């Protein structure tokens, strides 16, 4: 196996100093354009590859950023990543994508790996609220690495975030069901250790209260974001007396599972039962029975997250923690699953 070419090999070949080669490779203005060109051409011929980690340690900048998401096989998080990349690529940043699979230990490992890789910043949608991952997140702040939460966040001083107004999203979804003449509205709530799901539940409760509809805790079921979870939750709801006549789900996938289970039991949607989801996944609009859903604007969320990061990189005083909390406006797309003919 041949040894890697070094700047000393290039210097020897061109009969110049290693320092001159290093400066030329980094486009130092003190080096003439002709020398830079000669060094670049020689480096290419000799198959020289720069040690990016060493370069990052010298300059304090790697031009790499880490993005941590619960999973990449969802349109929501894939669209956020796309938005981040579209905003950062013109600024010569490379995006390193990590996924946690909703596992706290994996999230901690991801953060530590990115810190060891000398990334310039970390953007993260957290798995849950726990003391253990909070310790790791504080390590990021201690190292003065810019940190931005998106979608799922922790309330931490000096940390920026980009979210949507989940309370409003829950409110408008529930209010739409009330306006559709639904009287017994159930809610599929997500993990209540996460602020986004707490806010959606609170928006649901507030809409009921504002419209003089009693809150029934039996109508609130913690439901994972999956088809099977939606089906199981419907099975529980239909055993209640009286059963609900509508569902506001914090997940489009659980909403789809609910619809499949309701239809299998001969329940007509939306005539007998209305369903509204959250996330506006692509399948919601393309199904024969299209699903009403709250749009989270993931592409815009990704772009805004990247912009907040770029703003923080302009901050020369790294000891001064900049905190910017951007809240995007949710939009309800009304489709067949909740459109009754009144």
């Amino acid at each position: 196996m041949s040894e890697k070419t070094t700047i000393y090999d290039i210097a020897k070949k061109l009969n110049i100093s290693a320092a001159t080669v290093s400066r030329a490779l980094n486009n130092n203005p003190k080096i003439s354009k002709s020398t830079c060109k000669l060094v670049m051409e020689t480096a290419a011929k000799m198959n020289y590859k720069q040690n990016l980690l060493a370069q990052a340690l010298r300059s304090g900048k790697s031009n790499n950023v880490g993005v941590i998401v619960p999973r990449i096989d969802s349109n929501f998080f894939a669209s956020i990543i796309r938005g981040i990349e579209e905003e950062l690529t013109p600024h010569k940043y490379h995006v390193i994508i990590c996924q946690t699979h909703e596992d706290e230990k994996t999230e901690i490992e991801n953060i530590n790996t990115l810190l060891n890789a000398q990334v310039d910043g970390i953007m993260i949608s957290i798995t849950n609220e726990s003391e253990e991952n909070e310790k790791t997140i504080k390590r990021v702040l201690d190292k003065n690495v810019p940190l931005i939460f998106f979608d799922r966040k922790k309330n931490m001083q000096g940390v920026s975030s980009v979210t949507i107004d989940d309370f409003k999203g829950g409110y408008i979804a529930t209010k739409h069901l009330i306006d559709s003449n639904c009287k017994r509205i159930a809610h599929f709530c997500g993990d209540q250790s996460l602020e986004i799901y707490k806010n959606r539940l609170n928006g649901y409760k507030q809409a009921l209260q504002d419209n003089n509809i009693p809150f029934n805790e039996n109508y609130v079921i913690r439901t994972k974001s999956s088809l099977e979870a939606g089906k199981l939750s419907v099975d529980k709801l239909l055993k209640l007396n009286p059963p609900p006549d509508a569902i506001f789900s914090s997940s489009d996938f659980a909403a789809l599972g609910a619809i499949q289970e309701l239809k299998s039991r001969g329940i007509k949607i939306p005539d007998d039962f209305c369903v509204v989801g959250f996330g506006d996944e692509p399948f919601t609009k393309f199904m024969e029975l299209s699903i009403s859903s709250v749009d989270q604007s993931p592409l815009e969320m990704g772009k805004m997250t990247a912009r907040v990061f770029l703003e923080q990189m302009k901050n020369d005083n790294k000891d001064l923690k900049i905190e910017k909390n951007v809240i995007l406006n949710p939009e309800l797309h009304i489709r067949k699953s909740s459109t009754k003919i009144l």
Side-chain angles (χ1 to χ4, degrees):
M1 186 177 175
S2 60
E3 292 184 7
K4 289 182 179 179
T5 302
T6 68
I7 59 172
Y8 299 100
D9 298 325
I10 299 169
K12 186 177 180 182
K13 177 84 173 174
L14 297 176
N15 197 26
I16 58 177
S17 70
T20 300
V21 172
S22 178
R23 292 190 185 105
L25 289 170
N26 289 289
N27 290 311
N28 191 303
K30 292 181 179 179
I31 308 299
S32 69
K33 288 184 178 178
S34 59
T35 301
C36 280
K37 185 182 178 187
L38 180 61
V39 169
M40 293 289 189
E41 288 174 350
T42 306
K45 286 176 185 175
M46 297 178 72
N47 199 28
Y48 170 74
K49 290 181 175 61
Q50 285 182 291
N51 186 327
L52 296 178
L53 182 57
Q55 192 178 20
L57 290 168
R58 284 195 302 272
S59 66
K61 196 162 184 273
S62 67
N63 278 83
N64 291 326
V65 296
V67 177
I68 304 176
V69 295
R71 60 186 189 280
I72 58 173
D73 62 343
S74 84
N75 178 72
F76 176 68
F77 288 114
S79 296
I80 287 177
I81 292 166
R82 179 184 156 197
I84 291 171
E85 287 183 327
E86 284 183 5
E87 203 69 25
L88 292 185
T89 298
H91 296 273
K92 309 297 182 187
Y93 282 100
H94 305 284
V95 177
I96 301 170
I97 302 163
C98 304
Q99 55 181 335
T100 63
H101 304 285
E102 303 283 7
D103 181 71
E104 183 185 324
K105 288 182 180 177
T106 304
E107 180 175 87
I108 291 168
E109 287 171 7
N110 286 340
I111 293 170
N112 288 329
T113 299
L114 291 171
L115 287 175
N116 292 335
Q118 304 289 321
V119 293
D120 293 336
I122 294 176
M123 303 166 209
I124 180 171
S125 186
I126 61 169
T127 55
N128 56 31
E129 298 266 4
S130 77
E131 289 183 13
E132 199 58 40
N133 63 10
E134 189 162 323
K135 286 178 189 173
T136 308
I137 288 168
K138 282 179 178 173
R139 186 170 167 239
V140 178
L141 302 178
D142 291 342
K143 287 181 171 287
N144 285 323
V145 175
L147 175 72
I148 299 101
F149 292 125
F150 59 88
D151 184 44
R152 307 176 180 185
K153 70 182 181 78
K154 284 179 176 289
N155 289 316
M156 297 177 69
Q157 193 171 0
V159 183
S160 296
S161 64
V162 181
T163 59
I164 69 155
D165 189 336
D166 286 286
F167 177 90
K168 184 177 179 182
Y171 189 98
I172 60 176
T174 308
K175 179 66 166 64
H176 163 63
L177 289 168
I178 294 167
D179 292 343
S180 297
N181 206 31
C182 298
K183 306 293 185 187
R184 302 181 306 280
I185 302 166
H187 177 48
F188 290 173
C189 68
D191 182 353
Q192 291 299 291
S193 74
L194 288 166
E195 188 176 291
I196 59 169
Y197 295 122
K198 283 181 190 172
N199 289 339
R200 290 173 199 178
L201 173 60
N202 287 334
Y204 157 81
K205 285 181 176 179
Q206 191 65 51
L208 294 179
Q209 183 179 319
D210 289 351
N211 291 273
N212 300 311
I213 296 176
F215 170 69
N216 184 341
E217 62 180 15
N218 294 322
Y219 286 168
V220 177
I221 299 182
R222 180 172 166 177
T223 309
K224 289 184 178 179
S225 180
S226 71
L227 268 68
E228 193 57 38
K231 291 177 181 180
L232 290 172
S233 291
V234 162
D235 183 59
K236 291 176 184 176
L237 288 173
L238 294 181
K239 289 175 182 174
L240 297 174
N241 187 19
D245 59 5
I247 294 169
F248 158 50
S249 171
S250 277
S251 153
D252 280 337
F253 293 97
L256 177 57
I259 287 170
Q260 289 178 347
E261 182 67 19
L262 289 164
K263 288 173 76 176
S264 74
R265 293 170 182 243
I267 296 171
K268 294 179 182 178
I269 303 168
D271 298 343
D272 301 327
F273 207 109
C274 291
V275 179
V276 174
F278 207 108
D280 203 40
E281 292 283 341
F283 66 79
T284 58
K285 61 181 81 67
F286 297 126
M287 295 174 59
E288 185 180 350
L289 177 66
S290 56
I291 304 174
S292 299
S293 185
V294 178
D295 188 350
Q296 293 178 272
S297 304
L299 189 65
E300 181 58 27
M301 187 178 287
K303 287 177 178 288
M304 187 58 70
T305 302
R307 287 176 202 148
V308 171
F309 163 74
L310 291 171
E311 277 184 35
Q312 292 194 206
M313 289 302 289
K314 290 177 185 175
N315 174 32
D316 293 328
N317 185 357
K318 298 301 179 187
D319 292 326
L320 179 64
K321 295 286 188 291
I322 295 175
E323 184 176 338
K324 185 169 186 178
N325 297 304
V326 180
I327 301 174
L328 303 175
N329 201 38
E331 184 180 354
L332 175 64
H333 297 295
I334 298 170
R335 302 190 179 104
K336 291 180 182 178
S337 69
S338 63
T339 309
K340 282 185 180 182
I341 301 173
L342 301 176

